Amino acid sequence: MTQQITGELFKCMIMNAAAAIENNKQEINDLNVFPVPDGDTGTNMSLTIGAAEKALASISPGTIGQAAEATAAAMLRGARGNSGVILSLLFRGLSRRLKDCDCADATDFAAALTWGVESAYKAVMKPAEGTILTVSRLAASAAVLAAENEMDLETMFEHAIEQGDIALADTVNINPVLKKAGVVDAGAKGYMYILQGMLLALQGEMLTKLIIKTEVSEKADFTKFTSEDIKFAYCTEFIVEKTHKSDVEMFSAFLNARGDSVVLVDDDDIIKVHVHTNEPGVVLTEALTYGALLSIKIENMREQHTEAMDGSGADITATSQEPEVAQIKDIGFAVVCVGEGIEELFSDLGADAFISGGQTMNPSTQDILEKIANTPAETVFVLPNNKNIIMAAEQCIPLSDKRIIVIPTRSIPQGVAAMLAADTIRDADEIVARMTEAAQYVRTVHITVAARNSVFDDMDIMEGEYLALLDDVLIASGADFDALMEIVKGELNKAVPEFITIYAGADVTEEDAITVSDSLGRDFQSAETMLIMGKQPIYHYIISAE
């Protein structure tokens, strides 16, 4: 019977938790009650804890404190979607409680679970019950009670899981949306798989990830390009031991100006770097200003390419013209969006960096953080443009030396209005006020097709039907697009709009988009109507009214 969780055992528990949720992620995805294609909960949670799995795979933690800290750090940067962020917060609180522990008994770990719950509740502005928050809280309470009754670790976990399963089953009664759909909360279900995976590791049973085999239709053909096609010749990797607090974002900007494929991980004690460059010596010299070099690996990719083609590998001397370093500004803007036309619009409005993402494509905290680091500005405004990305963006704030301000835009039109409001203003506090106010006056309609059969808000929805949502509220569904548009017009008319903008999606022809635009123009003659071929996925049309 296991009495203490060591660093290595905790590592095994996380590996098992990652396998458990990966093996069951589709079941969790299928619990999403909303019929609109969404950033699936199971996928987001699997990717989040998968980041911790990858981080732990390369280390042998001496203590549970070290293992928990590495887990929390990786999950924080890898968090995707609201479910992933909340999961990372649960493990962040847990790691803080175990920080100075060599190992943990039932009392220690139960207390750590409680710290995790408190961390998650504090970070969520409006905690909703009948969710992962409720289930994690009640599971932790059961763990504490079991530990107080001097139960061993395995029994404590069994009690936590038993109470968690009861709470999970009750989410369908607590949450009105779940009750109508007749399903339990997806995030809570994922959390229970994680606890079950951890218990199995405690009992000595390691799970294997299920692999779906697919036919590999092609193999990379190295003859399709020459070594001259490799712009930056040297794959350079190194670790710096930090000797003082430094502006690592400045180092990231330096690296991006001298190469590509930059990955920079800033931890408490080290900086780990991967970069493709033609000037490894210059990069390493700059790295020494941040601390001592602990390890270095440099590989000539042009030589590797030659060897891949014919087995030979003559040394090739790299030459390049040094790119110009971007000038650091006072204020910059990083925008989450997808679609060629939409990105071009934001670029015209002054956006400095683009994070690819949106519905079904929730970027991780690390994805957002990297774009913030590459934005040549001391203060960076981040526009998530999707309600499921706001929390991941907000987690970047304590992870950067830059001043990060997240404007909680929930749609592309809100983001556009916010950028227009910020034009010519240079004071950051005034920008916050203007952008926030401008976004609030925008009403957004999303038109897509149902991803699954569902009953939502007493509407029977069939897969493939058109759906219209006004500010994330379902207002119409049906197979007749023209009939659906009449309902949309009626709702927009209540806003008495002065400006109407139509963003046509990737699956819409220009002819069809013009037809929709002209129809809106005829019905709203007092409003200025604009059509933009946004080419966004998922949504056939995004329509804004201001």
Side-chain angles (χ1 to χ4, degrees):
M1 189 70 68
T2 303
Q3 299 298 326
Q4 300 279 345
I5 301 176
T6 63
E8 280 298 326
L9 179 53
F10 185 82
K11 174 180 175 178
C12 291
M13 292 166 70
I14 294 298
M15 299 293 185
N16 242 26
I21 201 164
E22 173 66 19
N23 291 346
N24 294 281
K25 69 180 180 183
Q26 190 54 51
E27 177 191 349
I28 300 167
N29 288 341
D30 290 342
L31 291 174
N32 288 340
V33 296
F34 212 49
V36 176
D38 201 356
D40 291 325
T41 301
T43 301
N44 284 341
M45 294 182 78
S46 180
L47 289 169
T48 299
I49 199 166
E53 179 188 23
K54 290 177 182 177
L56 290 171
S58 61
I59 65 172
S60 297
T63 69
I64 189 173
Q66 293 169 355
E69 186 174 5
T71 297
M75 289 179 71
L76 179 60
R77 288 174 167 79
R80 293 174 185 268
N82 290 348
S83 56
V85 172
I86 292 173
L87 183 62
S88 74
L89 292 169
L90 289 168
F91 277 89
R92 184 199 292 181
L94 181 143
S95 72
R96 288 174 175 169
R97 173 60 177 80
L98 299 175
K99 182 179 180 181
D100 298 320
C101 296
D102 291 335
C103 51
D105 58 17
T107 300
D108 294 325
F109 205 85
L113 289 173
T114 301
W115 278 46
V117 171
E118 291 172 353
S119 176
Y121 267 91
K122 287 178 182 177
V124 178
M125 292 183 63
K126 296 180 180 179
E129 295 302 331
T131 65
I132 184 175
L133 293 172
T134 307
V135 172
S136 63
R137 173 170 55 80
L138 295 177
S141 295
V144 170
L145 183 60
E148 288 174 350
N149 291 327
E150 299 183 354
M151 296 181 183
D152 58 71
L153 273 165
E154 290 182 26
T155 307
M156 178 211 74
F157 256 91
E158 288 169 353
H159 277 257
I161 290 171
E162 180 182 3
Q163 184 57 52
D165 283 338
I166 294 171
L168 172 65
D170 198 36
T171 59
V172 69
N173 300 315
I174 298 173
N175 189 310
V177 175
L178 298 177
K179 190 170 186 178
K180 285 185 178 181
V183 296
V184 298
D185 181 71
K189 181 71 172 179
Y191 184 68
M192 293 311 301
Y193 275 124
I194 287 172
L195 291 184
Q196 290 161 10
M198 295 175 81
L199 172 59
L200 288 175
L202 269 176
Q203 296 170 335
E205 180 181 344
M206 294 303 295
L207 298 173
T208 301
K209 285 189 178 181
L210 303 178
I211 300 175
I212 301 174
K213 294 183 179 180
T214 56
E215 294 255 336
V216 178
S217 59
E218 293 181 305
K219 183 178 180 181
D221 185 356
F222 291 101
T223 65
K224 295 295 184 182
F225 62 95
T226 66
S227 61
E228 286 73 20
D229 292 322
I230 301 174
K231 184 177 179 182
F232 297 103
Y234 295 95
C235 176
T236 306
E237 297 181 65
F238 55 89
I239 297 176
V240 179
E241 182 180 26
K242 291 166 65 174
T243 56
H244 56 278
K245 183 174 176 61
S246 307
D247 185 355
V248 178
E249 277 66 36
M250 292 292 291
F251 188 28
S252 179
F254 175 90
L255 294 170
N256 276 284
R258 287 165 175 77
D260 62 10
S261 300
V262 176
V263 178
L264 186 151
V265 179
D266 179 21
D267 209 344
D268 290 339
D269 302 317
I270 65 167
I271 304 169
K272 185 173 182 178
V273 172
H274 169 279
V275 61
H276 294 171
T277 181
N278 287 326
E279 303 169 309
V282 173
V283 168
L284 293 175
T285 299
E286 178 67 15
L288 284 169
T289 65
Y290 293 84
L293 293 170
L294 299 180
S295 66
I296 302 171
K297 184 177 77 170
I298 301 174
E299 295 176 334
N300 187 325
M301 295 185 295
R302 289 177 180 158
E303 182 178 359
Q304 289 175 331
H305 169 260
T306 303
E307 290 174 349
M309 287 198 301
D310 58 16
S312 65
D315 188 25
I316 300 175
T317 303
T319 60
S320 75
Q321 187 172 5
E322 183 177 312
E324 187 176 340
V325 180
Q327 185 176 357
I328 303 299
K329 307 184 294 182
D330 291 333
I331 292 170
F333 299 91
V335 176
V336 179
C337 66
V338 66
E340 181 183 340
I342 289 176
E343 185 171 318
E344 184 178 343
L345 174 60
F346 274 115
S347 179
D348 291 341
L349 293 174
D352 299 282
F354 300 96
I355 304 112
S356 180
Q359 205 74 3
T360 77
M361 299 171 288
N362 298 158
S364 69
T365 296
Q366 181 65 31
D367 293 335
I368 301 170
L369 194 63
E370 288 175 0
K371 294 298 184 179
I372 290 171
N374 293 339
T375 302
E378 296 176 355
T379 297
V380 180
F381 286 83
V382 180
L383 280 67
N385 297 334
N386 185 288
K387 66 178 182 179
N388 205 36
I389 300 174
I390 294 172
M391 285 188 69
E394 290 173 341
Q395 300 311 301
C396 295
I397 294 173
L399 299 176
S400 174
D401 290 334
K402 294 186 178 185
R403 182 187 181 191
I404 299 173
I405 300 173
V406 178
I407 304 297
T409 50
R410 298 164 66 92
S411 68
I412 292 298
Q414 282 195 349
V416 171
M419 288 294 295
L420 284 167
D423 189 35
T424 73
I425 304 173
R426 292 294 90 193
D427 178 72
D429 293 332
E430 186 178 354
I431 289 176
V432 172
R434 293 282 188 92
M435 294 183 93
T436 304
E437 181 182 18
Q440 290 174 348
Y441 287 113
V442 178
R443 306 212 67 186
T444 305
V445 173
H446 290 95
I447 297 177
T448 184
V449 295
R452 58 182 72 88
N453 296 338
S454 177
V455 178
F456 195 85
D457 281 349
D458 297 326
M459 292 185 185
D460 289 322
I461 298 165
M462 302 301 294
E463 181 179 348
E465 284 185 343
Y466 290 107
L467 298 177
L469 301 97
L470 175 61
D471 298 332
D472 297 326
V473 176
L474 185 64
I475 59 171
S477 68
D480 188 332
F481 178 80
D482 292 334
L484 179 129
M485 280 301 301
E486 290 305 311
I487 298 174
V488 169
K489 290 175 184 178
E491 292 295 326
L492 290 179
N493 191 52
K494 297 175 183 178
V496 192
E498 297 178 6
F499 302 94
I500 293 178
T501 305
I502 304 100
Y503 302 85
D507 296 326
V508 174
T509 66
E510 188 170 353
E511 181 181 359
D512 286 344
I514 291 172
T515 299
V516 170
S517 178
D518 288 346
S519 176
L520 285 165
R522 286 192 299 270
D523 284 18
F524 294 92
Q525 294 185 13
S526 62
E528 182 179 330
T529 305
M530 178 183 297
L531 172 63
I532 295 173
M533 298 303 294
K535 300 183 180 179
Q536 71 275 0
I538 308 300
Y539 294 116
H540 289 55
Y541 296 98
I542 301 174
I543 304 171
S544 70
E546 301 176 58

